[in-house]
């Protein structure tokens, strides 16, 4: 029971409980469609109804016994890891370049770099399809990796740029004055201080690639099925509780990534000396 100060009247108490109740309803509205599928993934029967007659792990076991799902998981991991490496490398270098005060056209360059976040994904997918078709690499993992790298790079640019706002550039200048090469100063001074932002951007890029389906529908063939595409195909062709089991695993992975991002945010705040 909340203890209110003596000066809080009936209206103040009503506002206190009403505000929190409204926030709870909003949270329930946002989370209910996601959480409602978790119990169904443990249903012992192939039904999508409540109440659940019994609990079982059979649908999770079915994932590892299905060669199509295993191929989709393997493709998703390969695409997500490769595209994350590319987008993290390019995004970090771009963010460092954008921090230069004498860079001409900084606003225009920034707008171009973050444009994949603004442009509708269907337009990006269509453009990627025609572009990579002319290069002869459509219907391949290479095209999907490059397309996802373009989608993930803006997240890296934004997070690394935000991290470097409070970066003390006198540290790198001191390293250079002591004889360090630009690459050595970057590796031993800049990277250790901005790695929380780099890792945060990498996690966003990984999540963007891992659950992206539109460009995969355009650029991927039968052999390039990823987990989201297989879920999409399963919903349309053969609805199975295995899809709910995969969705539950993805929810667990997403929660783990959110906790990691929160840890990195707090660590970055402590490094800047900000109150948390």
């Amino acid at each position: 029971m909340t203890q209110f100060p003596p000066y809080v009247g009936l209206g103040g108490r009503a506002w206190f409980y009403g505000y929190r109740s409204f926030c709870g309803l909003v949270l329930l509205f946002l989370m209910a469609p996601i959480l409602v599928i978790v119990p169904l993934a443990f249903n012992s029967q192939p039904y999508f109804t409540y109440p659940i007659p019994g609990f079982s792990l059979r649908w999770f076991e079915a994932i590892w016994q299905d060669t199509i799902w295993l191929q989709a998981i393997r493709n998703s991991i390969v695409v997500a890891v490769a595209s994350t490496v590319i987008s993290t490398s390019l995004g970090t270098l771009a963010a460092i370049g954008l921090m230069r005060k004498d860079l001409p056209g900084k606003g225009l360059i920034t707008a171009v770099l973050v444009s994949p976040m603004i442009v509708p994904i269907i337009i990006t997918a269509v453009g990627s399809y025609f572009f990579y078709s002319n290069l002869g690499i459509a219907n391949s993992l290479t095209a999907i990796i490059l397309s996802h790298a373009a989608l993930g790079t803006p997240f890296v640019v934004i997070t690394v740029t935000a991290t470097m706002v409070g970066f003390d550039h006198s540290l790198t200048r001191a390293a250079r004055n002591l004889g360090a090469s630009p690459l050595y100063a970057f590796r031993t001074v800049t990277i250790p201080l901005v790695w929380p932002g780099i890792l945060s951007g990498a996690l966003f890029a990984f999540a963007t690639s891992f659950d992206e389906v539109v460009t995969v529908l355009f650029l991927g063939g039968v052999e390039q099925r990823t987990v989201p595409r297989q879920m999409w195909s399963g919903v349309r062709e053969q609805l199975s509780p295995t899809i709910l089991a995969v969705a539950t695993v993805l929810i667990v992975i997403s929660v783990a990534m959110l906790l990691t991002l929160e840890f990195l945010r707090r660590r970055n705040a402590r490094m800047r000396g900000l109150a948390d």
Side-chain angles (χ1 to χ4, degrees):
M1 190 67 179
T2 303
Q3 297 293 330
F4 294 97
Y7 57 83
V8 177
L10 181 60
R13 298 186 183 190
W15 166 256
F16 178 84
Y17 289 113
Y19 177 72
R20 279 155 181 75
S21 299
F22 176 76
C23 292
L25 291 175
V26 172
L27 182 62
L28 180 63
F29 172 76
L30 295 175
M31 298 301 298
I34 299 175
L35 297 179
V36 73
I37 66 173
V38 175
L40 293 175
F42 296 92
N43 193 347
S44 60
Q45 302 300 321
Y47 307 129
F48 295 87
T49 57
Y50 286 100
I52 298 175
F55 291 93
S56 172
L57 296 176
R58 58 180 294 194
W59 307 116
F60 292 91
E61 296 174 354
I63 299 174
W64 308 109
Q65 297 171 356
D66 192 326
T67 55
I68 296 178
W69 277 112
L70 292 179
Q71 183 187 29
I73 294 173
R74 183 168 55 251
N75 288 339
S76 287
I77 293 175
V78 170
V79 169
V81 171
S83 63
T84 298
V85 171
I86 296 173
S87 59
T88 302
S89 302
L90 297 179
T92 301
L93 294 176
I96 293 173
L98 289 173
M99 295 307 297
R100 294 178 62 89
K101 295 181 179 179
D102 57 346
L103 179 66
K106 184 186 297 185
L108 178 61
I109 296 174
T110 302
V112 173
L113 289 174
V114 302
S115 61
M117 298 177 63
I118 304 171
V119 177
I121 187 64
I122 186 65
I123 296 177
T124 302
V126 173
S128 299
Y129 173 75
F130 286 109
F131 179 74
Y132 292 121
S133 294
N134 290 329
L135 296 180
I137 60 174
N139 294 329
S140 68
L141 289 181
T142 302
I144 299 175
I145 290 172
L146 294 176
S147 179
H148 283 189
L151 295 175
T153 298
F155 294 96
V156 182
V157 171
I158 291 175
T159 55
V160 176
T161 301
T163 303
M164 294 196 68
V165 168
F167 181 75
D168 187 359
H169 293 276
S170 63
L171 297 176
T172 55
R173 289 194 292 269
R176 295 294 309 279
N177 290 333
L178 293 174
S181 64
L183 182 60
Y184 186 81
F186 175 75
R187 182 170 59 85
T188 59
V189 177
T190 304
I191 291 294
L193 291 176
V194 302
W195 76 264
I198 296 175
L199 186 55
S200 298
L203 289 175
F204 278 119
F206 183 89
T208 300
S209 173
F210 202 81
D211 68 355
E212 202 284 325
V213 66
V214 179
T215 58
V216 178
L217 289 174
F218 279 84
L219 297 175
V222 177
E223 297 297 325
Q224 291 81 41
R225 287 177 181 267
T226 60
V227 171
R229 175 168 177 173
Q230 180 58 27
M231 295 176 70
W232 170 260
S233 301
V235 170
R236 298 186 61 190
E237 300 169 1
Q238 184 179 3
L239 195 59
S240 168
T242 307
I243 298 174
L244 302 182
V246 175
T248 302
V249 174
L250 295 180
I251 290 173
V252 173
I253 295 175
S254 300
V255 171
M257 293 178 66
L258 286 175
L259 293 176
T260 303
L261 289 172
E262 177 61 18
F263 167 77
L264 293 174
R265 186 192 67 79
R266 295 192 178 193
R267 187 183 185 282
N268 192 33
R270 288 197 300 269
M271 291 175 64
R272 295 186 180 192
L274 301 176
D276 190 32

